[in-house]
Amino acid sequence: MPKPRPARTLAVVAAAALALSACGSDYPLGDAQREAAENSTSTLSGILSGSGSSAQGPAMDAWIGGFGLLHPKVQLQYSPDGSGAGRSALLAGAVDFAGSDAYLQEEEMEQAREVCGPGGALDIPAYISPIAVAFNLPGIDSLNLDAATIARIFRGEIVRWNDPAIAGQNPGVDLPDLPVTPVSRADDSGTTENFTEYLHDAAPDAWQDSPSGTWPGGLGGENAQGNAGVVSTVTRTEGAVTYADDSVIDDSMGTVNLLVGEEYVPISAEGAAIAVEQASRVPDRGPHDIALHLDRTTTVPGAYPLVLVSYQIYCSGYEDPNTVELVKAFGLYVVSDEGQAASEDAAKSAPIPATLAEQARESIESIGTLP
C-alpha cells in the first residue's frame, strides 16, 4: 500500500510575522523557530506536507507559526492551490493531508482507500468562516438581499445595481445606475461549492444548477483564480460583485446582509457559528468521518447560513509511524482552543463548537499505522 509522500516542492507558507527568511534551512520560520528549538522539549521532527484550500490560507499561516514554535524541528509545508487540487494531491499520494472547503464525495472516498488503506480518509472540520457576498459600490457599505436576488445577480439576470429587485430591499439607499459585473472562481473551489449549495437550497427556483465546485458554464461575468484573485478583480472594478471567504474582505468593499427568516443578518463569525450548530452529520460514512450537512434554509435568529466549513482531510492510516505522529500532533493543535484562537485572530473565523471539537479530537486520535 503506497503511503502519501511529502511534496518537497510545495511552497512553505508561514505567518507574516515569521517570514521565510531562512527557507531551506532547518528552521524555515526563521529566528523565532530557532530560538524555540533551543528551548523546546518536543521530540517531534520531520516534514509534514499539505495542499488545498486557499480560504484556509490566513488560518494556515497562523497554524504553521504556532505549531512551529511548539514543535520547532518539524517542517510544515502547505500550498494553497485550491480545495480540488488539495484533494487530488492527497488521493495521488503526493501530500500527507489536504485542506478542503468541501468534504470528500463517495467516488473520492473509494479512491482514498487505495492510498490510505481500508479505512480511507477522514474529513475533520478545522475552520468555520462565513462567505461574504462582496461588492464595489463607492459610498455603500452594505446591502440587504435575499437568496433569489443574489442568484439572479450571478446568473446575469439582474444587470444594473438600481434594479427594482435590489432597490425594493434597500429603501433609502442611493443605488447607482451602474452595470453589475459578477465575478466567479476560475478554479475548482470549495468556496464555489458552498456558495452554489446555498443558492440551490435557499432559492431553488432561481438557481436550478446542482451545487458544484466548478462554476456553471454559460454564465456571463468575469472569473479569477482563488479567493485573492476574485477580490482583486472586484477592488479594481466598480460595480463588480463576488463571493469569497470573509478573511480576505477588507473595508474597501461592501458586503451583503442575507435574508434569514424575516430578518436581514449581517456577515459575522458569530452568525456562522450559529448556523454550524444546526448542522448534522452526513449519514452512511465511517464513525470517524465528520462530514457535515449544513441547513442553508435555517430561520434560527442570528444564523448566517452562507457559511463554509473547511476540512483538513487525513488518511486514516499511514505506513510511516513518524508521519502518524506528525499528523496527529498537527491535527490536534488545529482543533485545540489555542489553534482555534489563532485562526480566529488571523482569519476572522468562528471557533469550532465544543462538541464538534471533541468529536474532531477523537477522530484524529484514531489515526494509526498501516500494517
Side-chain angles (χ1 to χ4, degrees):
M1 186 72 63
K3 82 175 182 71
R5 299 176 297 276
R8 297 173 189 270
T9 58
L10 291 175
V12 177
V13 183
L18 298 172
L20 297 182
S21 59
C23 186
S25 74
D26 290 337
Y27 305 105
L29 300 183
D31 290 342
Q33 188 181 22
R34 184 186 301 278
E35 292 174 10
E38 293 172 354
N39 299 294
S40 175
T41 59
S42 172
T43 60
L44 287 179
S45 65
I47 297 174
L48 186 64
S49 63
S51 173
S53 166
S54 62
Q56 277 190 38
M60 188 62 72
D61 290 349
W63 292 329
I64 288 174
F67 187 76
L69 296 179
L70 291 173
H71 304 286
K73 295 179 183 177
V74 178
Q75 294 188 31
L76 178 55
Q77 304 174 344
Y78 184 79
S79 186
D81 301 323
S83 296
R87 295 195 305 274
S88 294
L90 177 67
L91 297 176
V95 295
D96 300 311
F97 72 95
S100 178
D101 305 334
Y103 55 78
L104 292 171
Q105 300 300 307
E106 288 302 320
E107 181 180 343
E108 293 173 313
M109 294 290 282
E110 289 295 326
Q111 296 174 34
R113 293 184 182 95
E114 299 177 7
V115 175
C116 300
L122 307 176
D123 297 287
I124 308 295
Y127 174 80
I128 296 171
S129 180
I131 297 172
V133 179
F135 54 84
N136 180 351
L137 294 175
I140 300 178
D141 296 327
S142 67
L143 288 173
N144 296 331
L145 294 177
D146 59 24
T149 303
I150 297 170
R152 293 181 60 206
I153 286 172
F154 279 89
R155 297 198 74 82
E157 297 169 6
I158 292 176
V159 297
R160 305 196 77 79
W161 281 104
N162 61 351
D163 186 282
I166 300 176
Q169 297 178 73
N170 295 276
V173 177
D174 186 14
L175 294 166
D177 183 12
L178 188 69
V180 176
T181 303
V183 182
S184 60
R185 287 280 290 269
D187 51 321
D188 185 343
S189 158
T191 308
T192 297
E193 184 162 346
N194 279 272
F195 181 59
T196 56
E197 182 180 271
Y198 166 74
L199 296 178
H200 181 269
D201 291 359
D205 292 336
W207 191 275
Q208 298 183 9
D209 295 276
S210 296
S212 174
T214 304
W215 190 250
L219 299 183
E222 300 185 20
N223 55 52
Q225 192 83 11
N227 277 287
V230 295
V231 167
S232 176
T233 301
V234 170
T235 55
R236 65 173 183 266
T237 308
E238 195 167 321
V241 59
T242 193
Y243 56 93
D245 187 88
D246 191 42
S247 65
V248 297
I249 305 300
D250 61 26
D251 292 340
S252 67
M253 288 177 284
T255 55
V256 168
N257 307 321
L258 301 180
L259 183 62
V260 179
E262 301 298 322
E263 296 182 308
Y264 288 98
V265 178
I267 188 168
S268 70
E270 294 77 14
I274 293 171
V276 171
E277 287 176 349
Q278 315 309 312
S280 58
R281 295 274 286 265
V282 176
D284 301 323
R285 299 173 79 94
H288 298 299
D289 185 272
I290 313 179
L292 296 176
H293 175 72
L294 295 163
D295 182 4
R296 306 294 188 179
T297 61
T298 181
T299 58
V300 171
Y304 184 90
L306 181 47
V307 61
L308 173 152
V309 176
S310 197
Y311 300 86
Q312 289 186 347
I313 305 176
Y314 303 107
C315 283
S316 60
Y318 298 83
E319 287 187 350
D320 181 8
N322 190 60
T323 300
V324 172
E325 293 303 312
L326 296 179
V327 162
K328 292 171 72 169
F330 179 61
L332 290 171
Y333 168 74
V334 167
V335 300
S336 70
D337 291 344
E338 182 180 356
Q340 289 295 295
S343 62
E344 183 179 9
D345 290 342
K348 300 187 290 185
S349 63
I352 296 174
T355 300
L356 190 60
E358 180 59 31
Q359 294 173 359
R361 286 190 288 271
E362 291 175 1
S363 294
I364 293 165
E365 288 285 11
S366 76
I367 297 171
T369 304
L370 292 172

